[in-house]
Amino acid sequence: MPRKKISIPNKIEYLSILNEKSELDKKLDPDISDNLLLKLHRTMLLARKFDERLLSLQRQGRIGTFPPISGQEAAHLGAVAALRPTDWMVPAFRETAAEIWRGRTLESVIIYNNGYNEGAAIPEGRYDLPISVPVGSQILHAVGLGWAAKYRQKDDVAMAFFGDGATSEGDFHEGLNFAAVFQAPVVFVCQNNQWAISIPLAKQTRSKTLAQKALAYGMPGIQVDGNDILAVFAAAREAVERARSGGGPTLIECVTYRLMMHTTADDPKRYRTDKEVEQWKNRDPLPRFQNYLIRKGLLTEDKIAKAEAEVVQEIQEAVDRAEKQMKELGDPVHMFAHLYAAMPPYVEEQKKEFERELAELNKEADHG
Amino acid sequence: MPRKKISIPNKIEYLSILNEKSELDKKLDPDISDNLLLKLHRTMLLARKFDERLLSLQRQGRIGTFPPISGQEAAHLGAVAALRPTDWMVPAFRETAAEIWRGRTLESVIIYNNGYNEGAAIPEGRYDLPISVPVGSQILHAVGLGWAAKYRQKDDVAMAFFGDGATSEGDFHEGLNFAAVFQAPVVFVCQNNQWAISIPLAKQTRSKTLAQKALAYGMPGIQVDGNDILAVFAAAREAVERARSGGGPTLIECVTYRLMMHTTADDPKRYRTDKEVEQWKNRDPLPRFQNYLIRKGLLTEDKIAKAEAEVVQEIQEAVDRAEKQMKELGDPVHMFAHLYAAMPPYVEEQKKEFERELAELNKEADHG
Amino acid sequence: MAKMTMVQALNLALRQEMEKDDSVVVLGEDVGVDGGVFRVTDGLINQFGDQRVLDTPLAESGIVGMSIGMAAYGLKPVCEIQFSGFAYQNFHQIENHAARLRWRSQDRYHVPMVLRAPYGGGVRALEHHSESREAYWAHTPGLKMVIPSGPRNARGLLVSAIRDPDPVIFYEPKALYRAFREDVPEEEEIMAIGEPRCVRQGSDLTMISYGAMMRPTLEAAVELKEKDGVEAEVIDLLTISPLNEKILVESVKKTGRAVVIHEAPRSFGPGAEIVSRLMEKAFYYLEAPIERVTGYDIIIPLFSREKAYLPSVQRIIRSARKVLAA
Amino acid sequence: MAKMTMVQALNLALRQEMEKDDSVVVLGEDVGVDGGVFRVTDGLINQFGDQRVLDTPLAESGIVGMSIGMAAYGLKPVCEIQFSGFAYQNFHQIENHAARLRWRSQDRYHVPMVLRAPYGGGVRALEHHSESREAYWAHTPGLKMVIPSGPRNARGLLVSAIRDPDPVIFYEPKALYRAFREDVPEEEEIMAIGEPRCVRQGSDLTMISYGAMMRPTLEAAVELKEKDGVEAEVIDLLTISPLNEKILVESVKKTGRAVVIHEAPRSFGPGAEIVSRLMEKAFYYLEAPIERVTGYDIIIPLFSREKAYLPSVQRIIRSARKVLAA
Ligand SMILES: Cc1ncc(C[n+]2csc(CCOP(=O)(O)OP(=O)(O)O)c2C)c(N)n1
Ligand SMILES: Cc1ncc(C[n+]2csc(CCOP(=O)(O)OP(=O)(O)O)c2C)c(N)n1
Ligand SMILES: [Mg+2]
Ligand SMILES: [Mg+2]
């Protein structure tokens, strides 16, 4: 049936700069300062080693379940590196490298993962929301933050992170639509790590790319090699600049891979092959970036070994601090804190009741 | 920045067959039997006159608030006409012509709009869900119906209706995604009538068309002139055939216009101009179709006048039947019916309590 | 003082707070150009412009989620959900985030937002437009749940809700939007959240209600006085949650008898909590079981039968007599 | 009879119902290849194929909305929401549609679906994974709300839920998933919905609970017997809604004293309805105010403090002694 074709203004592109062999596409070189390159490398390394350490802490029962990030460092770190400290970061729960970049302490991560609410505290001066477990729900908060900044005539940008699975949630849809309609300064970063727990991308959506979902909102969308930190950074920088200068939101799909389990409660062998994991290990963003920096003359094997030793030490100190701090976090009465600005009378009563019971229990324990 | 363009498999097209001057694009003639053409015309006429009558009943306080459909008859009737009676229709609330086509009685519409649940009853043999007020929520039900048919190896198709406003709801997104992933035999028909109460399309989405939202789901999408019943029918027939033969879902955007108020509680003068309404009156689907049928020799002015008189009579009889029936629907105890298959004991007690109170009140009234 | 309907009084509260504080922004479906389907936000867009009064796309989770982000930035969003029956679309945003952000961030952020929504029956509305499900929010820690009963307290409470540093769900009894007028002062008047009010004194019986049910409750109290010589004390909750039972308990200690009245379905409804608090704190003063006069445990019927569903003066009187006779 | 965990018993119920009736289909996030994050649906996809066990995209409203459509067609969908804390995303689908379709269509359609979800604390889970908010559903007319307390009744109740012609919200106390084993017969065993059970007889005190709180409640009953010589009667609700208060009332008429125990926040929680029913139907038998031992009106803390939040044997005993002393 012959019909008129509708031309859609936005096109969807794919960006890769540093390929799997660490070869640079010179035309696309984002021209990042040596200083920044080295800082990115150091954070990636730290995050990778920290992930490994968290896993061993979890296996030893010293922290609870947590979601490892290994393999995805470039995807979220590259994106957040395009932000100013006063921009907003709205995380999901698999952006530890980006959180560290933004100033989150390693011990707060440990404390949070060991079931203390104190670990979710955000200090003044850091413009991040706490991690968000309900998949996709945080996307809308970035729209509100971005819109509010614009309303206040500040040029702050908000960057929201989420996974491939999150793109199926209604909140993803509502968030991108609101951002586009209100032209809010928001950058939507999807870490497409191919899996949502056991659900592969092909069962998540029939769309060829996630980036093309931007077309539904009349918004620019781009797919990047998410294991190529240069590409992620370049795409994010462009999107952040667009947002900051009033050009509205962008959707960035970072194609990456979760090398480890979904969380430490998950057994990926149930749903994916070792072979697939091996293939993706060849695309690991860390050695790829490292080799590039070596070739560029910014790093040597020795320097890397030294940096590794330093971050391992840094992590050890954080673990020690965290374990010391947690000894002082015992007080269960803290669970009544921070719910309202002022505690309602009936809750106050419950708290007193609880304190009385605690005291009695302690007395019994002393006597017993 | 030079980058690789991603080619997206689906393209979005626009279809118009009968233009505003009732001129047929012969290449695109869907070749509908004279019989069907006349039946469609009759239903359109009936629905239009019924809308007018409902409005006057509402203004006289003889029914409650209702949503008029005038101007949108082609958009929903054309679509539903492509279904078999055993296919499923999942309405929103502005598809009265389509409901009539499917066998809904005029009196049930009146009874429902006068606040009696009985008016929502669906008789055996009609495969329609009752109208759905929570915007967008019904879209998912069509996916479940379609999937179930496929599971039962039936070739039934489900057709879901919704407005332009509904495309902003998360359920629209989840529904289209599920349908595409499961390749459910569903046709999604969006009546884009330009307004969601007072919100114009440009504030609803930044997307150039609603049809292109299909690209986000890897699903075919098409925009049609929704005031051209031939175009709507042709697009729907193609989508229904695709769904029936295992080709999965389609999104059809019918570009149309709500000529009247949102509901009778709404005052459109607050948000849109008379001029805009006048412009759309020129595109009214009823005269457009009528003139085509006259030119085609299927109708004459006389025949139309006669048909009008007949439908007015038919409506009058329905109003009479409805008002008679409603006299018998008084029993308030009916509100306890149809909530569960078996009434739970405490609800049973409440019902008895209510009956006792009713009896007392009646006694008092008798004595007083 | 001008005589105002509740719609006008709410509008006044919004307008004055917006004048006073440019962090107050209004958003929702049809709240701008149309002025809201009940006209509560009428004229605000003309006065404050479309950057402070946002007509949003049709998506409740979007509205609430965006409000949460605005609030985290430091604004005070007042969002409207067109009818409370469509606030379930945003349930997760309220439960997972609005009610928790202060706690989750350990006081770094808080969510000074108000979610306004018309609720309840009595205006011959469509399906899903007449429900009364305040108990959902009342059971959710981290929220406040407020329901005014007249123009004046609607205005005073809305001002408090807007200024409240924590999220407030503000249900407006739509049956009262235009039902009557009251004197509402032009100058600032604030009513604190968390303080039920005794609106009629009496020593024989305590009647506890809120929202649109205050009117039949007060009528019943008058009729009980006239016909039975009974002095009923009537308490208007105003804040459903956090429930402050203090004056309820004091009253029941005095009267020994109580009736609780609400439109919501009875089971697991707000009345159950009131009964339980009185059980905890006034048991030894109770001379009869407390009666609940409520909506039935069914879905509120379409409008032709809604009167039969809603607690009536007669039903309230019957229950009061039962409690008094016991 | 095999000794089974609750996970195994639920799996047995699903498997046998699927064998018996090809209209039973299972859907949800990770329920297929992965067998569910708690393995309740383990092996079903191998036995029944991916047309009867659907791994869905990550969208709860999608899962429930699709289930409603399937049910209207005549299937019996059993959908899993991965944790009850993510069932708010589908609240509107349940409230607006699942609970109403029979009523809306005047009996032409009904919704024989089950929504399964793990709920409650005690397994050191992440944020949003430990809540207990059954009251939301219990307050919603048109639904049934079931919570088993052990492998055997979990199996029998799930079978009933699947066969029930109306929508059933089935909350599984995840703390009990693998906590203990019970004999569960291979042959069919059904437990009717709507029938609380007296699981321990006694004449001094009635203890009412359900779900994971049954264990500390029973422990407390034993300790009360041993230390105080008190004979506590213990009732397991099993069906929260529609609440059938018959045996509760009978018990309290006998004992005159009661304690209600649940994990959910106290205010506007399930205990309030139980207290109110007992007030209505056993007031004159009550010798002391009924105590509620519940979660506090705060958000359940992250796991390091969750034990402090959850009702403990000690708290239950303390309340029981208070009631007994009064
Ligand atoms: C609303 C909601 N539903 C379900 C879950 C359980 N859940 C946690 S993570 C996850 C998968 C997320 O997949 P994706 O968005 O791709 O992120 P990834 O885990 O791969 O980083 C699921 C289903 C949840 N946390 N929130
Ligand atoms: C979930 C939900 N939110 C809000 C409403 C109130 N409401 C009823 S119709 C409507 C506008 C619908 O617009 P559209 O989808 O374009 O359909 P139309 O009315 O134009 O046919 C709104 C906001 C509703 N019924 N449901
Ligand atoms: Mg993923
Ligand atoms: Mg519309």
Side-chain angles (χ1 to χ4, degrees), chain B residues 163-165 191-196:
Chain B
D164 44 311
Q191 291 198 76
N192 171 7
N193 65 3
Q194 313 305 322
W195 293 92

mmCIF file of all heavy atoms in Angstrom, chain B residues 163-165 191-196, ligand 4:
data_model
loop_
_atom_site.group_PDB
_atom_site.id
_atom_site.type_symbol
_atom_site.label_atom_id
_atom_site.label_comp_id
_atom_site.label_asym_id
_atom_site.label_seq_id
_atom_site.Cartn_x
_atom_site.Cartn_y
_atom_site.Cartn_z
ATOM 1 N N GLY B 163 -6.735 7.668 24.202
ATOM 2 C CA GLY B 163 -6.579 9.004 23.632
ATOM 3 C C GLY B 163 -5.128 9.440 23.538
ATOM 4 O O GLY B 163 -4.214 8.708 23.934
ATOM 5 N N ASP B 164 -4.923 10.634 23.032
ATOM 6 C CA ASP B 164 -3.578 11.197 22.959
ATOM 7 C C ASP B 164 -3.000 11.387 24.359
ATOM 8 O O ASP B 164 -1.816 11.114 24.602
ATOM 9 C CB ASP B 164 -3.591 12.538 22.211
ATOM 10 C CG ASP B 164 -4.740 13.444 22.630
ATOM 11 O OD1 ASP B 164 -5.896 12.975 22.666
ATOM 12 O OD2 ASP B 164 -4.495 14.624 22.936
ATOM 13 N N GLY B 165 -3.844 11.820 25.287
ATOM 14 C CA GLY B 165 -3.361 11.999 26.656
ATOM 15 C C GLY B 165 -2.846 10.700 27.245
ATOM 16 O O GLY B 165 -1.851 10.682 27.974
ATOM 17 N N GLN B 191 -6.886 7.503 19.568
ATOM 18 C CA GLN B 191 -7.692 8.597 19.013
ATOM 19 C C GLN B 191 -7.029 9.900 19.440
ATOM 20 O O GLN B 191 -7.316 10.427 20.517
ATOM 21 C CB GLN B 191 -9.107 8.552 19.577
ATOM 22 C CG GLN B 191 -9.936 7.371 19.113
ATOM 23 C CD GLN B 191 -11.422 7.646 19.345
ATOM 24 O OE1 GLN B 191 -12.059 8.399 18.603
ATOM 25 N NE2 GLN B 191 -11.982 7.055 20.363
ATOM 26 N N ASN B 192 -6.163 10.390 18.594
ATOM 27 C CA ASN B 192 -5.516 11.665 18.890
ATOM 28 C C ASN B 192 -6.474 12.791 18.506
ATOM 29 O O ASN B 192 -6.513 13.238 17.366
ATOM 30 C CB ASN B 192 -4.208 11.769 18.106
ATOM 31 C CG ASN B 192 -3.605 13.159 18.213
ATOM 32 O OD1 ASN B 192 -4.098 14.004 18.972
ATOM 33 N ND2 ASN B 192 -2.562 13.398 17.440
ATOM 34 N N ASN B 193 -7.233 13.215 19.502
ATOM 35 C CA ASN B 193 -8.222 14.274 19.246
ATOM 36 C C ASN B 193 -7.675 15.647 19.636
ATOM 37 O O ASN B 193 -8.432 16.580 19.890
ATOM 38 C CB ASN B 193 -9.546 13.959 19.964
ATOM 39 C CG ASN B 193 -9.397 13.976 21.469
ATOM 40 O OD1 ASN B 193 -8.325 14.267 22.004
ATOM 41 N ND2 ASN B 193 -10.479 13.670 22.174
ATOM 42 N N GLN B 194 -6.362 15.745 19.739
ATOM 43 C CA GLN B 194 -5.629 17.015 19.942
ATOM 44 C C GLN B 194 -5.658 17.537 21.364
ATOM 45 O O GLN B 194 -4.852 18.396 21.716
ATOM 46 C CB GLN B 194 -6.145 18.134 19.003
ATOM 47 C CG GLN B 194 -6.308 17.718 17.557
ATOM 48 C CD GLN B 194 -5.034 17.135 16.959
ATOM 49 O OE1 GLN B 194 -3.943 17.608 17.254
ATOM 50 N NE2 GLN B 194 -5.168 16.080 16.167
ATOM 51 N N TRP B 195 -6.591 17.057 22.168
ATOM 52 C CA TRP B 195 -6.736 17.595 23.511
ATOM 53 C C TRP B 195 -6.923 16.478 24.532
ATOM 54 O O TRP B 195 -7.604 15.493 24.265
ATOM 55 C CB TRP B 195 -7.950 18.542 23.592
ATOM 56 C CG TRP B 195 -7.767 19.795 22.794
ATOM 57 C CD1 TRP B 195 -8.147 19.990 21.503
ATOM 58 C CD2 TRP B 195 -7.124 20.993 23.225
ATOM 59 N NE1 TRP B 195 -7.781 21.243 21.089
ATOM 60 C CE2 TRP B 195 -7.157 21.899 22.128
ATOM 61 C CE3 TRP B 195 -6.529 21.414 24.417
ATOM 62 C CZ2 TRP B 195 -6.608 23.186 22.202
ATOM 63 C CZ3 TRP B 195 -5.995 22.694 24.493
ATOM 64 C CH2 TRP B 195 -6.034 23.568 23.392
ATOM 65 N N ALA B 196 -6.352 16.680 25.703
ATOM 66 C CA ALA B 196 -6.656 15.859 26.880
ATOM 67 C C ALA B 196 -7.221 16.851 27.889
ATOM 68 O O ALA B 196 -6.472 17.590 28.528
ATOM 69 C CB ALA B 196 -5.394 15.185 27.408
HETATM 70 MG MG MG E 4 -7.538 13.484 23.669
#
